[in-house]
Every structure is written in structure tokens, then in C-alpha cells.
Amino acid sequence: MNPHAILIPAAGASRRMEGRDKLLEMVDGLPLLRRQARRALDTGAAVLVTVPALDHPRVAALHDLPLRLVPVPDAATGMAASLCRGVACLPPGVRGVAILPADMPDIDAADIATLLARFDAADAALLVQATGGDGTPGHPVIFPADCLPALREVIGDTGGRAVVQANRHRLVRVPLEGARALTDLDTPEAWRAWRDANPGA
């Protein structure tokens, strides 16, 4: 069994998208959420995706993919709800979980594999965080198994930031080229700028 898991939080409401769902925007001919889930699956890790409900349109975008869907009925309380419920559903025996935001289209399977390799090189004892090429902290972040209880206790909309801060003494940062680890698309303006920079995507 692959000892890694990847959790894609996808239960948010896309409130800044003026009525559109950012995770269903088409990229390379696929809804962004499906595209990113496939990239996560390409690593061989177990993949879990949180969704607002099992009848949400995002679920249709993931049909036939070998991943676990985790409904988050309390998603309106913040990102922490996705982390708590997703971590609670991880397969037994995982050495670590990578938190992969779904709205970061520049992250690919090779980037995730690079981070997982660094995690394994430290015998799954460290937290591993992607950064931009300039060292700015970004995503994904990999948490070792001993951090999972703390992730199940986070609250609000800051995600796993408190857990990273509490473990900063054993945090390693891995730079990814350019702004790959920093680019998230959660407004129409961000989408327009990204499409301008990535014609044909």
C-alpha cells in the first residue's frame, strides 16, 4: 500500500467568484477539480476530496475516479471543517497527508512527488511545505502522522496554519519553480490573469 494520502479540500463556496464555481472552471478540457484530482492520483497516493454534499455538482466532475469523497455539511464554518472531516477519513496506517488546495492549477503530479520524496527522505518525521521560487511559503503542505490529531482539532478558516506554526522547529521548505506553489485562483480577475498567461489551457 502506498503510505501517503492527499487531501483536496473542495467544500468551499467560491464566494468571490461572482456566482461561478472556480473548481468547475475548465482547464485543459477538464473541470479544474477533476484535473487536480487526477494529478493527485497520478502519484499513487490515496486521494480524498471534501465536498459540500454528495449531491453537489462538484461530485459529478469526479465521477469514476478512484478516490474517496468526504461530505462536509459544516463547510460554511471555514477550511478547518474540511481538514477535520477529511483527516478523520484517512486510510489506516498512512505516514503522512499532503493538503493540496484544489484551486492551484500550476501544481502538477511531479511537484507533489518531489514533496513526497523529501518527506520520505526524512523518514516521515518532518513537515514539508512547498514554497515559491523566491522562498515564499505556499502549498501543498505534508503533515506526518503524529500531526493528524492536531489537524482534527483546528477551527475557523486558517486551515492547518496553527499546526505548521506549532511544528516550525521541524518544518522544511521545498522551493518549486516560479510561483507554482503560490498561484491560487479564487476570483474572476485571478482567472483572467492566469488564462492570459496560459493561453490554450
Side-chain angles (χ1 to χ4, degrees):
M1 182 189 86
N2 189 301
H4 308 122
I6 299 172
L7 174 60
I8 302 177
S14 289
R15 290 187 182 91
R16 300 173 63 193
M17 282 293 292
E18 301 176 0
R20 290 155 52 189
D21 188 336
K22 64 181 178 180
L23 300 187
L24 297 182
E25 291 284 316
M26 300 299 286
V27 179
D28 295 331
L30 297 171
L32 176 62
L33 179 57
R34 182 177 182 87
R35 177 178 177 268
Q36 297 310 97
R38 286 176 54 173
R39 289 180 167 193
L41 288 165
D42 284 345
T43 69
V47 176
L48 298 86
V49 181
T50 64
V51 291
L54 293 179
D55 60 353
H56 193 276
R58 291 175 188 167
V59 172
L62 298 169
H63 74 92
D64 74 13
L65 294 182
L67 48 75
R68 178 164 183 176
L69 294 168
V70 180
V72 184
D74 54 343
T77 62
M79 171 70 76
S82 276
L83 295 186
C84 293
R85 292 185 181 273
V87 169
C89 293
L90 291 174
V94 295
R95 302 179 77 202
V97 58
I99 308 300
L100 173 64
D103 61 353
M104 301 185 71
D106 291 339
I107 296 293
D108 61 22
D111 295 324
I112 304 168
T114 295
L115 298 170
L116 290 173
R118 182 65 182 87
F119 180 72
D120 285 340
D123 199 27
L126 302 178
L127 286 75
V128 176
Q129 181 176 29
T131 76
D134 63 356
T136 302
H139 291 89
V141 179
I142 305 176
F143 295 89
D146 64 279
C147 285
L148 300 185
L151 285 173
R152 293 186 64 175
E153 299 297 325
V154 296
I155 58 175
D157 207 29
T158 59
R161 194 176 304 163
V163 181
V164 171
Q165 183 67 13
N167 290 274
R168 60 189 181 280
H169 59 286
R170 58 180 181 134
L171 173 68
V172 296
R173 292 188 166 123
V174 177
L176 301 180
E177 181 180 356
R180 305 171 71 80
L182 309 175
T183 300
D184 58 14
L185 305 180
D186 55 10
T187 67
E189 294 76 18
W191 272 99
R192 282 194 291 271
W194 186 82
R195 292 194 191 283
D196 287 346
N198 296 271

